[in-house]
């Protein structure tokens, strides 16, 4: 998931220097709220050329708003300072949320150039608010007097967060250090943008080009047809192009029987951003990691991880390392068992080679077939995308929370493959709008995510407009949209984020919906994954796309049993990635810029995991989460929130499972709370105690609790 935060503050004067008065006065689709339902973006009138002038105009407007707040002669009050800042930047929110939604999912050279131009200006804009001494003085005065202000609990939380963010952004630094901080923030923003653009190009160019159809042996006809179309689109007739996913392992390795092709595809993935060309990300990463460490040092932190974790549920790098250490031993034991079983399968297949990473997924599938008699090709016909969405994802939400959905075909979209639904609450009132953009494109970032086009706020009178994005293979024309069970889980996962946003019920944007810590924001999504295998939900959506017949119980049982296999692999690649992230962000400012490959090897060697056979889910050079998507020193959050999610599902099972009463309890105490409370008390109010790692160990590693 990607979250886009509200951007506060003053734009540097030079940012508007080249903007003519005519351009400032020209109509812009972002200048006023959209007239569509719930202020949904006007993709029918927005042009790529509108974004940059909209950003510049919006920053100029907010500059004036912030100046008036800071210069107000009236004594500071919550309304004339904090609430006034929350009301500011309406146009900037509109253009930012829309632009980044499109930029990540449907970019082009114009949008790439806009991002390159705007990113440093937005960084300067944010610095200007947090480094404005007059503005901070008003916030600090209110914070110091907060016990006497008669604030509501939400107002008290918002005031505290504003104060903490000002301090954390440098409001208390010396003037000289603030100058240095501004320069570092601009540098970091520029490097993050450069990394993202290099990686997108590297991933696109890293696609495996196959000259001989025989090399694709084992793949189904639909995939081969799609790869041929990819080649035709790239003007490579008579060839096949296999695009890369964002992860190290590639889904097609499972079915490929040609070992040389498997190795070639794996190595294209592993080295995608390490070709020594213009898209090589290593120099950018080395500089970026060093700049982040220097920024942390300005604030007196030993490293960037300590700087980042100040407002997270885990709180400190030591707590993260302790948590990961509890997972690693059991994971390594499982990895070794799985590797031995796979090597035995290779031997029984009449092969003499030693297991390599590009063999693992293929032979793991053979083990599934042998030990669990499960063939993914038997499963896929029961998972048609639209049926999974309507009769699975939506059905579970209706059973738990009473909400319903109606497709809207009158809402414009940025790509014709998208779907839009209006979401209705249990009383029939409109809750929000929901967009789905599921299919992979060359101009889309890898992975899957959720965010808002419009955020919820009672102060602003807005309801949530949310999108889910994924990268499923688009079927050839006339073919059904059949997906894997892994894709099914992805749909449930991202919709868990959407529920967190849809149920937002806050007054102030700062604490609304998914505006929570990284190690809490993945909790609702990980929790929602559990319903994919709930018997009632599964039976409702797992139906053959041709006949409508329910999946045979024997096959259902095989899916559940097979889910216990490869647990060591699946957990190991996540732990390795989390450790790699923490290692990069534990570097002190005194450390020199690193040799990326050597540093990565040393960091992975320290995990205690079998990283030679179970590579990290994301290698340093294509770790988008930590270098550009806001998860620096935070990738552990996926593991941490698995613990919270597994605890919560255990609570549901103990209290009767899929019921409206249980759903309402979860909605009231978790999904609708935003960041109106600290995370520990919020979780304890629902769960009844502190997080417990036991359900996670049983469910994710030991395989003793498959559902």
């Amino acid at each position: 998931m990607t979250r886009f935060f509200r951007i506060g503050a003053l734009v540097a004067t030079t940012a508007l220097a080249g903007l003519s008065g005519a351009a400032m006065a020209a109509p812009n689709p972002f200048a006023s709220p959209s007239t569509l339902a719930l202020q949904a973006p006007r993709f029918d009138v927005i042009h790529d050329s509108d974004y940059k002038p909209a950003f510049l105009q919006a920053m100029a407007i907010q500059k004036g708003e912030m100046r008036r707040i800071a210069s107000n002669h009236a004594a500071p009050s919550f309304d004339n300072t904090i609430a006034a800042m929350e009301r500011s930047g309406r146009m900037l929110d509109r253009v930012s949320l829309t632009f980044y939604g499109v930029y990540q999912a449907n970019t082009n050279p114009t949008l790439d150039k806009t991002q390159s131009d705007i990113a440093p200006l937005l960084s300067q804009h944010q610095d200007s608010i947090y480094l404005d001494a007059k503005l901070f003085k008003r916030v600090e005065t209110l914070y110091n007097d907060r016990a006497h202000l008669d604030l509501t609990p939400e107002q008290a939380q918002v005031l505290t967060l504003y104060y903490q963010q000002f301090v954390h952004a440098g409001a208390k630094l010396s003037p000289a250090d603030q100058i240095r901080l501004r320069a570092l923030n601009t540098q970091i923003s520029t490097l993050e943008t450069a990394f993202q653009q290099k990686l997108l190009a590297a991933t696109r160019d890293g696609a495996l080009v196959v000259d001989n159809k025989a090399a694709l042996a084992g793949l189904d006809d639909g995939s081969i047809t799609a790869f041929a179309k990819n080649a035709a689109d790239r003007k490579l007739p008579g060839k096949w192009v296999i695009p890369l996913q964002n992860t190290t392992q590639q889904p097609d390795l499972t079915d490929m029987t040609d070992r040389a092709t498997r190795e070639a595809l794996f190595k294209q993935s592993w080295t995608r951003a390490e070709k020594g060309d213009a898209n090589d990300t290593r120099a950018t990463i080395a500089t970026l990691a060093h700049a982040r460490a220097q920024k942390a040092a300005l604030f007196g932190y030993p490293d960037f991880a300590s700087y980042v974790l100040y407002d997270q549920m885990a709180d400190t790098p030591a707590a993260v390392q302790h948590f990961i250490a509890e997972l690693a031993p059991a994971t390594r034991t499982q990895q070794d068992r799985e590797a031995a079983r796979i090597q035995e399968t290779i031997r029984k297949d009449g092969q003499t080679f030693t297991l390599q990473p590009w063999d693992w997924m293929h032979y793991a599938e053979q083990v599934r077939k042998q030990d669990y008699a499960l063939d993914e090709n038997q499963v896929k016909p029961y998972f048609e995308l639209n049926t999974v969405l309507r009769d699975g994802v939506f059905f579970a939400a209706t059973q738990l929370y009473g909400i319903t959905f109606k497709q809207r075909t009158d809402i414009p979209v940025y790509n014709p493959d998208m779907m839009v639904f209006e979401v209705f609450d249990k009383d029939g009132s409109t809750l929000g709008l929901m967009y789905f953009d599921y299919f992979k494109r060359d101009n889309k970032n890898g992975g899957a995510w959720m965010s808002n086009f419009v955020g919820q706020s009672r102060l602003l009178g807005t309801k949530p407009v949310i999108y889910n994005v994924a990268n499923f293979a688009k079927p050839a024309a006339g073919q059904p949209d059949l997906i894997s069970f892994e894709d099914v889980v992805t749909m449930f996962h991202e919709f868990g984020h959407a529920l967190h946003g849809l149920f937002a019920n806050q007054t102030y944007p700062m604490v609304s919906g998914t505006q929570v810590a990284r190690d809490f924001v993945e909790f609702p999504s990980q929790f929602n994954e559990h319903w994919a295998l709930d018997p009632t939900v599964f039976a409702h959506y797992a139906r053959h796309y041709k006949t409508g017949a329910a999946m045979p119980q024997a096959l259902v049982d095989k899916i559940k049993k097979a889910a216990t296999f490869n647990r060591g692999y699946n957990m190991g690649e996540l732990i390795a990635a989390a450790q790699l992230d923490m290692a990069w962000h534990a570097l002190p400012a005194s450390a020199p810029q690193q040799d990326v490959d050597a540093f990565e090897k040393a960091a992975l060697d320290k995990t205690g995991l079998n990283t030679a056979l179970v590579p990290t889910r994301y290698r340093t050079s294509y770790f988008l989460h930590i270098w550009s998507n806001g998860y620096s020193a935070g990738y552990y959050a996926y593991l941490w929130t698995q613990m919270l999610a597994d605890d919560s599902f255990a609570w549901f099972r103990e209290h009767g499972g899929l019921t409206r009463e249980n759903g309402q309890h979860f909605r009231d105490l978790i999904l609708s709370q935003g960041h109106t409370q600290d995370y520990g008390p919020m979780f304890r109010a629902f769960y009844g105690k502190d997080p417990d790692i036991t359900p996670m160990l049983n469910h994710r590693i030991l395989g003793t609790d498959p559902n």
Side-chain angles (χ1 to χ4, degrees), residues 15 56 80 83 138 142 147 187 226 266 342 350 377 391 416 504 526 543 658 660 675 682:
L56 296 175
N80 70 20
R138 297 182 69 87
L142 291 169
Q187 179 190 20
F266 179 89
I342 291 173
N377 292 323
D391 295 342
Q526 302 273 15
R543 295 185 172 274
L658 184 81
R660 280 284 293 110
H675 191 191
M682 188 190 307

Side-chain angles (χ1 to χ4, degrees), residues 119-133:
L121 300 184
L122 289 175
S123 177
Q124 294 163 17
H125 190 67
Q126 185 162 321
D127 281 344
S128 295
I129 185 171
Y130 287 122
L131 301 181
D132 185 315

